[in-house]
Amino acid sequence: MKKLENTIPSCDSCPNEKRVFCSLSQLELGELSINKKNFQYKKGEEIFQEGNYPHGIFCIYSGVIKLSKRGNEGKDQIIRFAKSGDILGYRSMLAKQMYSTTATAMDDVLICQIPIHNFESLLKSSNKMCMKTIELLSDDLKRSENQVLSVSQKRVADRLAEALLTLKDKFGFKEDQQTLNMQITRREIGEMAGITTATTIRTLSDFNKDKLIALHNKDIKLINVAELERLATS
Amino acid sequence: MKKLENTIPSCDSCPNEKRVFCSLSQLELGELSINKKNFQYKKGEEIFQEGNYPHGIFCIYSGVIKLSKRGNEGKDQIIRFAKSGDILGYRSMLAKQMYSTTATAMDDVLICQIPIHNFESLLKSSNKMCMKTIELLSDDLKRSENQVLSVSQKRVADRLAEALLTLKDKFGFKEDQQTLNMQITRREIGEMAGITTATTIRTLSDFNKDKLIALHNKDIKLINVAELERLATS
DNA sequence: CGTCATGTTGAGAGCCCTCAAACGTCGTGG
DNA sequence: CCACGACGTTTGAGGGCTCTCAACATGACG
């Protein structure tokens, strides 16, 4: 982790999609930027850890972050990913609770930290921002409840197909419109779906044989998306 | 389901804890009551179904409701319970989406339906109510993410212990301070934890043998809460 | 008192995990 | 430039947890 000076522009000129801040005026965005700190994290570094207390919210300028929870045998469960424009840590901050997940950089990340005070006062003064926050939380809740159902009832292959499609939806394809645009280990794919690494690799290999996907080194090409979707919803 | 006339008092004189409405004035609570409809549901009846569109939010006056999702083999997963004072269906309503869960009465339920308009206009005018809604959603999200971890990593006995403790926390004990104050079938306990009915019964029987619980007919007495907690967090 | 849902228990199977070994890749430092 | 180690990938063997299926008991309720 490295503290940056003036590398990232003020929020009012941030090129990213504004998400929760989309309703704010240029003026309000400027206010948001007061006391904003910028950091750089290298791949693998942790932005915050489950069990620690938040001092502000994070807004991702560039890069990808995974949010995960550690189980009791040291096995991780990936809860979701966040990328540029996404905000992190507001749930814990608003509830004044410890972080319930750990945030880890999946690649090199530039991130802004906004002090609690600035965020909260905007939330209290802007009803639209409140509603937007409710929207974000609702969406996360829906996803999470679906994940409970998946892990509880679906078999490994179906969950793996689901994970691959999640990666597609969140990160898209490379230029060929087939290869997942995301560098991710087999272990992490397993951690998305709640599968052990060995079984993840075995099942990916099955998909490869069945021509649902094609594996080249670490690249994963989705060949038969329709069939993957059939599996994922079955 | 039976429509009731004047059986339930106006919101401003509702004896239940106000939850999301706790910050509202008597006047605002009165406004909330305009166009409020009251219904009675008998045990087993569905208040709303996954896939339908909401017309308003529900606020439980008395009784207990389970929220569940149906898997593809017809197996249900219970997402959470709601009881008097809890509100239902606001997530789907605010997102203008179909219900993502089905709500079923666990016993006889008296419930109020508040039209979308009344709820939304209060949400837009009352920042405190917004913040309270954010709090509720945050709490649900945290629980749900924990459940993902449980179902994904814990073994059946541990998840069952967790479910029993959830029942204790949500519904408490009967007079003896040991017997769960909730009529619930073995199948439903299994559906809380993502376990089949047969395995649920077998594991309950194991707990009984190990003197963690005592079974009398449908009553479940928690004998060794400390050990159940140890299991649940292991 | 019949009927249907729920509870209980047994036998067997299979999915997936655990453990282990071998190999490839990549970055580091000698 | 190569040796080395760390990490990720791959594959096999074996086992156990949990599901499925089935039969029967029990209880609720008209």
Side-chain angles (χ1 to χ4, degrees):
Chain A
M1 191 261 286
K2 192 176 145 193
K3 188 166 175 185
L4 302 175
E5 305 291 346
N6 305 321
T7 314
I8 303 182
S10 164
C11 299
D12 51 306
S13 52
C14 181
N16 287 318
E17 200 190 329
K18 298 293 187 302
R19 315 275 156 143
V20 72
F21 305 122
C22 63
S23 67
L24 299 184
S25 65
Q26 289 298 97
L27 189 66
E28 287 171 315
L29 285 171
E31 280 173 27
L32 195 65
S33 287
I34 302 172
N35 302 321
K36 174 169 87 71
K37 290 179 192 157
N38 307 321
F39 297 101
Q40 179 181 42
Y41 291 87
K42 293 209 171 298
K43 181 174 178 168
E45 282 187 308
E46 287 177 356
I47 291 87
F48 57 76
Q49 266 194 327
E50 197 174 344
N52 290 347
Y53 280 92
H55 297 296
I57 67 156
F58 293 99
C59 189
I60 306 177
Y61 182 76
S62 66
V64 174
I65 287 171
K66 69 173 173 188
L67 290 167
S68 59
K69 294 173 82 76
R70 179 140 302 171
N72 281 321
E73 333 256 291
K75 235 189 316 179
D76 286 345
Q77 171 72 43
I78 293 181
I79 299 296
R80 65 175 162 276
F81 294 102
K83 61 181 178 182
S84 57
D86 289 338
I87 62 173
L88 288 184
Y90 61 105
R91 201 204 58 76
S92 300
M93 204 214 65
L94 291 172
K96 304 197 189 322
Q97 294 174 337
M98 302 181 296
Y99 288 121
S100 62
T101 55
T102 297
T104 312
M106 297 280 290
D107 46 23
D108 290 358
V109 163
L110 294 179
I111 202 168
C112 301
Q113 186 178 29
I114 297 164
I116 295 185
H117 177 71
N118 294 48
F119 183 73
E120 266 191 333
S121 67
L122 266 177
L123 204 55
K124 278 185 184 140
S125 67
S126 164
N127 190 270
K128 279 187 180 169
M129 192 168 131
C130 255
M131 296 296 279
K132 200 72 198 168
T133 304
I134 288 176
E135 234 175 78
L136 284 188
L137 281 168
S138 294
D139 202 51
D140 285 343
L141 180 58
K142 190 178 167 187
R143 274 174 215 280
S144 180
E145 290 176 349
N146 282 331
Q147 201 176 2
V148 171
L149 189 68
S150 286
V151 178
S152 147
Q153 298 202 1
K154 290 181 186 166
R155 40 183 55 208
V156 159
D158 300 346
R159 273 182 280 151
L160 181 59
E162 214 173 10
L164 293 176
L165 293 171
T166 300
L167 290 172
K168 167 180 87 70
D169 291 341
K170 186 82 187 180
F171 304 110
F173 290 131
K174 295 187 179 170
E175 306 74 36
D176 66 356
Q177 300 305 318
Q178 289 201 302
T179 305
L180 287 179
N181 188 24
M182 179 66 191
Q183 212 193 356
I184 185 170
T185 66
R186 308 290 146 119
R187 180 164 53 76
E188 285 168 327
I189 295 176
E191 284 168 357
M192 289 175 68
I195 318 176
T196 56
T197 308
T199 302
T200 303
I201 288 167
R202 252 185 274 269
T203 311
L204 280 175
S205 172
D206 290 344
F207 284 180
N208 191 36
K209 282 195 201 86
D210 296 344
K211 305 228 187 304
L212 299 182
I213 63 175
L215 301 170
H216 302 102
N217 299 321
K218 306 210 168 177
D219 279 349
I220 298 175
K221 204 183 272 197
L222 304 194
I223 307 286
N224 190 342
V225 173
E227 180 63 11
L228 287 173
E229 277 167 353
R230 205 190 57 75
L231 282 178
T233 58
S234 72
Chain B
M1 190 259 286
K2 190 176 146 194
K3 188 164 176 187
L4 302 176
E5 305 292 344
N6 305 319
T7 315
I8 304 181
S10 165
C11 298
D12 51 304
S13 51
C14 182
N16 288 318
E17 200 189 329
K18 297 294 186 300
R19 315 279 154 130
V20 72
F21 305 121
C22 63
S23 68
L24 299 184
S25 65
Q26 288 297 96
L27 189 63
E28 286 171 314
L29 285 172
E31 281 174 28
L32 194 65
S33 288
I34 303 174
N35 302 322
K36 172 168 88 71
K37 289 180 193 156
N38 308 322
F39 298 101
Q40 179 183 40
Y41 290 86
K42 295 211 170 299
K43 181 172 180 172
E45 281 187 307
E46 288 177 355
I47 291 87
F48 56 76
Q49 264 193 328
E50 197 173 347
N52 290 348
Y53 280 92
H55 297 296
I57 66 155
F58 292 98
C59 189
I60 305 177
Y61 182 77
S62 66
V64 174
I65 287 170
K66 69 173 172 185
L67 290 167
S68 59
K69 291 173 81 77
R70 178 140 303 169
N72 281 321
E73 334 254 293
K75 235 190 315 182
D76 287 346
Q77 171 73 44
I78 293 181
I79 299 297
R80 65 175 162 279
F81 294 101
K83 61 181 179 183
S84 56
D86 288 338
I87 61 172
L88 288 185
Y90 60 106
R91 200 205 59 74
S92 300
M93 205 213 65
L94 291 172
K96 303 197 190 318
Q97 292 173 338
M98 301 180 299
Y99 288 121
S100 61
T101 54
T102 297
T104 311
M106 297 281 289
D107 46 22
D108 290 356
V109 163
L110 293 179
I111 202 169
C112 301
Q113 185 177 31
I114 297 163
I116 296 185
H117 176 73
N118 294 48
F119 183 74
E120 266 191 332
S121 67
L122 267 177
L123 204 55
K124 277 183 184 143
S125 67
S126 164
N127 190 270
K128 279 188 180 166
M129 191 167 130
C130 256
M131 297 297 281
K132 200 69 198 173
T133 304
I134 288 175
E135 232 175 79
L136 283 189
L137 281 168
S138 293
D139 201 52
D140 285 343
L141 180 58
K142 190 177 167 190
R143 274 174 216 281
S144 179
E145 289 175 349
N146 282 331
Q147 201 176 3
V148 171
L149 189 68
S150 287
V151 178
S152 147
Q153 298 201 0
K154 289 181 187 166
R155 42 182 57 207
V156 159
D158 301 346
R159 274 182 279 149
L160 182 59
E162 213 174 10
L164 293 176
L165 293 171
T166 300
L167 289 172
K168 168 179 86 69
D169 291 340
K170 186 82 187 180
F171 304 109
F173 290 131
K174 296 188 178 169
E175 306 75 37
D176 65 356
Q177 300 306 316
Q178 290 201 302
T179 304
L180 287 180
N181 188 25
M182 179 65 189
Q183 211 193 357
I184 185 171
T185 66
R186 308 289 146 120
R187 179 164 54 78
E188 284 169 327
I189 295 175
E191 285 169 356
M192 291 175 67
I195 318 175
T196 56
T197 308
T199 302
T200 303
I201 289 169
R202 251 185 276 269
T203 311
L204 280 175
S205 170
D206 291 343
F207 283 0
N208 191 37
K209 281 196 201 86
D210 296 344
K211 306 228 185 304
L212 299 182
I213 63 174
L215 301 171
H216 302 101
N217 299 321
K218 306 212 165 174
D219 279 349
I220 299 176
K221 204 182 271 197
L222 304 194
I223 307 285
N224 190 341
V225 172
E227 180 63 10
L228 286 173
E229 277 167 352
R230 205 190 57 75
L231 283 179
T233 58
S234 73

